[in-house]
């Protein structure tokens, strides 16, 4: 059940690095805009209004992306890990989203942040049975090279480990229900 792109679809250190870079970029972009608005405009109300106008569209675009991915008709078991990674990335951004967008003028961003993980969560729940079926269909007639761990066993172990870390770690993703404040 190897990925069609040639590599393993299971998130690796590279995808974790990408997620961390995305989180840093999100934080830096909106943090710098917020500082600039506060510095240039003396009134808090005007600074809030200016920040909302500048940041709202970009934040909404970022937060709508996971929903667009989850709506794809071509979500195969191999893509489940990318959607899981996306879902996890959104949940990691929640403190920054809440910090920058938790006031009335940015309520649309706050609302989108709350609904953003719902579609990916639903897509993942729908992909899990397909993933399980794909693993059971995969049969290997050849022994592991050198008598070591069979590649399918290794793949399945990594998959289970990653899914478990996301589902059961209290500080991470809970696919059983959308996240709430």
């Amino acid at each position: 059940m190897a990925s069609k792109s040639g590599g393993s679809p299971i998130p690796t250190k590279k995808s974790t690095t990408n997620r961390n870079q995305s989180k840093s970029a999100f934080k830096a972009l909106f943090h710098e805009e917020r500082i600039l608005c506060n510095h240039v405009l003396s009134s808090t109300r005007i600074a809030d209004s200016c920040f909302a106008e500048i940041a709202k569209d970009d934040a909404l675009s970022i937060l709508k992306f996971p929903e667009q991915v989850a709506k794809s008709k071509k979500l195969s078991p191999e893509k489940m890990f990318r959607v899981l990674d996306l879902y996890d990335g959104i949940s990691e951004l929640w403190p920054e989203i809440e910090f920058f967008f938790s006031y009335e003028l940015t309520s649309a961003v706050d609302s989108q942040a709350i609904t953003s993980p719902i579609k990916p969560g639903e897509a993942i729940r729908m992909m899990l049975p397909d993933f399980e079926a794909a693993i059971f269909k995969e049969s290997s007639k050849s022994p592991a090279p050198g008598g070591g761990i069979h590649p399918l066993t290794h793949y399945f172990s990594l998959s289970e480990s990653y899914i478990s870390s996301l589902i059961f770690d209290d500080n991470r993703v809970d696919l059983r229900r959308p996240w709430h404040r």
Side-chain angles (χ1 to χ4, degrees):
M1 192 172 135
S3 171
K4 291 179 173 99
S5 63
S8 172
I10 300 169
T12 61
K13 188 173 184 173
K14 181 180 177 183
S15 65
T16 302
T17 300
N18 289 342
R19 189 172 59 239
N20 289 340
Q21 289 172 342
S22 298
K23 184 178 178 182
S24 296
F26 185 91
K27 200 176 195 177
L29 172 69
F30 295 113
H31 179 73
E32 294 300 320
E33 286 294 340
R34 188 69 198 174
I35 288 173
L36 184 60
C37 288
N38 289 344
H39 182 72
V40 172
L41 304 164
S42 58
S43 165
T44 303
R45 184 167 165 78
I46 295 172
D48 288 351
S49 179
C50 182
F51 177 76
E53 283 301 311
I54 291 170
K56 184 171 60 174
D57 290 340
D58 290 334
L60 287 172
S61 293
I62 291 168
L63 293 170
K64 286 180 181 178
F65 179 71
E67 286 184 38
Q68 298 302 320
V69 169
K71 287 180 183 177
S72 171
K73 301 290 184 211
K74 299 178 183 178
L75 289 177
S76 63
E78 290 87 7
K79 294 180 182 173
M80 181 178 70
F81 294 100
R82 291 190 179 124
V83 177
L84 273 167
D85 203 34
L86 192 58
Y87 187 103
D88 190 36
I90 299 166
S91 67
E92 287 180 0
L93 282 175
W94 182 250
E96 284 78 21
I97 294 166
E98 192 171 38
F99 178 76
F100 293 119
F101 301 104
S102 62
Y103 54 97
E104 188 178 333
L105 293 170
T106 57
S107 62
V109 175
D110 197 42
S111 296
Q112 182 63 46
I114 290 168
T115 61
S116 189
I118 293 172
K119 290 283 185 205
E122 290 171 356
I124 292 164
R125 282 190 293 279
M126 291 175 66
M127 285 186 274
L128 277 170
D130 294 338
F131 176 70
E132 181 181 9
I135 288 173
F136 283 120
K137 275 194 250 178
E138 184 78 34
S139 64
S140 177
K141 309 250 187 287
S142 60
I149 297 173
H150 194 277
L152 181 60
T153 304
H154 182 69
Y155 175 84
F156 180 74
S157 297
L158 288 174
S159 304
E160 284 297 302
S161 174
Y162 182 71
I163 291 169
S164 296
S165 74
L166 289 175
I167 293 174
F168 298 111
D169 184 346
D170 289 339
N171 299 324
R172 308 275 307 257
V173 178
D174 184 353
L175 296 175
R176 295 168 286 188
R177 61 185 172 7
W179 41 290
H180 304 282
R181 288 191 242 186

